[in-house]
PDB file of all heavy atoms in Angstrom:
ATOM      1  N   CYS B  68      63.732 -95.551   7.706  1.00  0.00           N
ATOM      2  CA  CYS B  68      65.108 -95.727   7.239  1.00  0.00           C
ATOM      3  C   CYS B  68      65.987 -94.631   7.838  1.00  0.00           C
ATOM      4  O   CYS B  68      65.534 -93.528   8.116  1.00  0.00           O
ATOM      5  CB  CYS B  68      65.141 -95.662   5.708  1.00  0.00           C
ATOM      6  SG  CYS B  68      66.774 -96.034   5.044  1.00  0.00           S
ATOM      7  N   HIS B  70      68.481 -93.342   6.240  1.00  0.00           N
ATOM      8  CA  HIS B  70      68.968 -92.486   5.139  1.00  0.00           C
ATOM      9  C   HIS B  70      68.021 -91.318   4.913  1.00  0.00           C
ATOM     10  O   HIS B  70      68.405 -90.167   4.980  1.00  0.00           O
ATOM     11  CB  HIS B  70      69.143 -93.339   3.862  1.00  0.00           C
ATOM     12  CG  HIS B  70      69.548 -92.528   2.673  1.00  0.00           C
ATOM     13  ND1 HIS B  70      68.938 -92.676   1.439  1.00  0.00           N
ATOM     14  CD2 HIS B  70      70.490 -91.564   2.531  1.00  0.00           C
ATOM     15  CE1 HIS B  70      69.518 -91.822   0.586  1.00  0.00           C
ATOM     16  NE2 HIS B  70      70.463 -91.146   1.228  1.00  0.00           N
ATOM     17  N   GLU B  71      66.778 -91.617   4.623  1.00  0.00           N
ATOM     18  CA  GLU B  71      65.744 -90.590   4.505  1.00  0.00           C
ATOM     19  C   GLU B  71      64.535 -91.091   5.278  1.00  0.00           C
ATOM     20  O   GLU B  71      64.463 -92.251   5.633  1.00  0.00           O
ATOM     21  CB  GLU B  71      65.373 -90.379   3.034  1.00  0.00           C
ATOM     22  CG  GLU B  71      66.445 -89.606   2.282  1.00  0.00           C
ATOM     23  CD  GLU B  71      66.154 -89.492   0.783  1.00  0.00           C
ATOM     24  OE1 GLU B  71      65.026 -89.810   0.360  1.00  0.00           O
ATOM     25  OE2 GLU B  71      67.070 -89.081   0.062  1.00  0.00           O
ATOM     26  N   GLN B  73      61.998 -92.656   5.132  1.00  0.00           N
ATOM     27  CA  GLN B  73      61.241 -93.622   4.348  1.00  0.00           C
ATOM     28  C   GLN B  73      60.767 -94.753   5.251  1.00  0.00           C
ATOM     29  O   GLN B  73      61.567 -95.288   6.009  1.00  0.00           O
ATOM     30  CB  GLN B  73      62.136 -94.176   3.229  1.00  0.00           C
ATOM     31  CG  GLN B  73      61.602 -95.387   2.507  1.00  0.00           C
ATOM     32  CD  GLN B  73      60.363 -95.076   1.715  1.00  0.00           C
ATOM     33  OE1 GLN B  73      60.330 -94.098   0.954  1.00  0.00           O
ATOM     34  NE2 GLN B  73      59.317 -95.879   1.876  1.00  0.00           N
ATOM     35  N   CYS B  90      65.128-101.498   2.569  1.00  0.00           N
ATOM     36  CA  CYS B  90      64.505-100.191   2.393  1.00  0.00           C
ATOM     37  C   CYS B  90      63.874-100.127   1.003  1.00  0.00           C
ATOM     38  O   CYS B  90      64.558-100.347   0.003  1.00  0.00           O
ATOM     39  CB  CYS B  90      65.538 -99.076   2.545  1.00  0.00           C
ATOM     40  SG  CYS B  90      64.812 -97.468   2.167  1.00  0.00           S
ATOM     41  N   LYS B  92      62.994 -97.668  -0.690  1.00  0.00           N
ATOM     42  CA  LYS B  92      63.317 -96.506  -1.514  1.00  0.00           C
ATOM     43  C   LYS B  92      64.636 -96.678  -2.292  1.00  0.00           C
ATOM     44  O   LYS B  92      64.646 -96.544  -3.499  1.00  0.00           O
ATOM     45  CB  LYS B  92      63.381 -95.242  -0.649  1.00  0.00           C
ATOM     46  CG  LYS B  92      63.404 -93.968  -1.474  1.00  0.00           C
ATOM     47  CD  LYS B  92      62.943 -92.793  -0.674  1.00  0.00           C
ATOM     48  CE  LYS B  92      62.901 -91.538  -1.542  1.00  0.00           C
ATOM     49  NZ  LYS B  92      62.560 -90.370  -0.728  1.00  0.00           N
ATOM     50  N   HIS B  93      65.723 -96.953  -1.588  1.00  0.00           N
ATOM     51  CA  HIS B  93      67.008 -97.090  -2.281  1.00  0.00           C
ATOM     52  C   HIS B  93      67.631 -98.470  -2.085  1.00  0.00           C
ATOM     53  O   HIS B  93      68.776 -98.675  -2.494  1.00  0.00           O
ATOM     54  CB  HIS B  93      67.992 -96.013  -1.838  1.00  0.00           C
ATOM     55  CG  HIS B  93      67.472 -94.618  -2.000  1.00  0.00           C
ATOM     56  ND1 HIS B  93      67.303 -93.751  -0.947  1.00  0.00           N
ATOM     57  CD2 HIS B  93      67.054 -93.964  -3.107  1.00  0.00           C
ATOM     58  CE1 HIS B  93      66.804 -92.604  -1.412  1.00  0.00           C
ATOM     59  NE2 HIS B  93      66.642 -92.708  -2.702  1.00  0.00           N
ATOM     60  N   SER B  95      68.806-100.192   0.582  1.00  0.00           N
ATOM     61  CA  SER B  95      69.765-100.571   1.619  1.00  0.00           C
ATOM     62  C   SER B  95      69.153-101.698   2.466  1.00  0.00           C
ATOM     63  O   SER B  95      67.954-101.704   2.692  1.00  0.00           O
ATOM     64  CB  SER B  95      70.095 -99.384   2.537  1.00  0.00           C
ATOM     65  OG  SER B  95      71.075 -98.565   1.941  1.00  0.00           O
ATOM     66  N   ASP B 108      72.980 -96.528   0.316  1.00  0.00           N
ATOM     67  CA  ASP B 108      72.902 -95.148   0.811  1.00  0.00           C
ATOM     68  C   ASP B 108      72.901 -95.036   2.330  1.00  0.00           C
ATOM     69  O   ASP B 108      73.266 -93.992   2.882  1.00  0.00           O
ATOM     70  CB  ASP B 108      71.631 -94.463   0.271  1.00  0.00           C
ATOM     71  CG  ASP B 108      71.759 -94.183  -1.211  1.00  0.00           C
ATOM     72  OD1 ASP B 108      72.870 -93.845  -1.663  1.00  0.00           O
ATOM     73  OD2 ASP B 108      70.741 -94.293  -1.925  1.00  0.00           O
ATOM     74  N   ALA B 109      72.425 -96.055   3.003  1.00  0.00           N
ATOM     75  CA  ALA B 109      72.332 -95.988   4.463  1.00  0.00           C
ATOM     76  C   ALA B 109      73.521 -96.677   5.139  1.00  0.00           C
ATOM     77  O   ALA B 109      73.484 -96.942   6.338  1.00  0.00           O
ATOM     78  CB  ALA B 109      71.027 -96.615   4.933  1.00  0.00           C
TER      79      ALA B 109
HETATM   80  S1  FES K  20      65.710 -93.948   2.109  1.00  0.00           S
HETATM   81 FE1  FES K  20      66.394 -95.898   2.714  1.00  0.00          FE
HETATM   82  S2  FES K  20      68.234 -96.199   1.631  1.00  0.00           S
HETATM   83 FE2  FES K  20      67.554 -94.240   1.010  1.00  0.00          FE
END
Side-chain angles (χ1 to χ4, degrees):
C68 186
H70 176 226
E71 286 175 11
Q73 168 67 49
C90 174
K92 193 158 183 185
H93 304 119
S95 278
D108 288 324

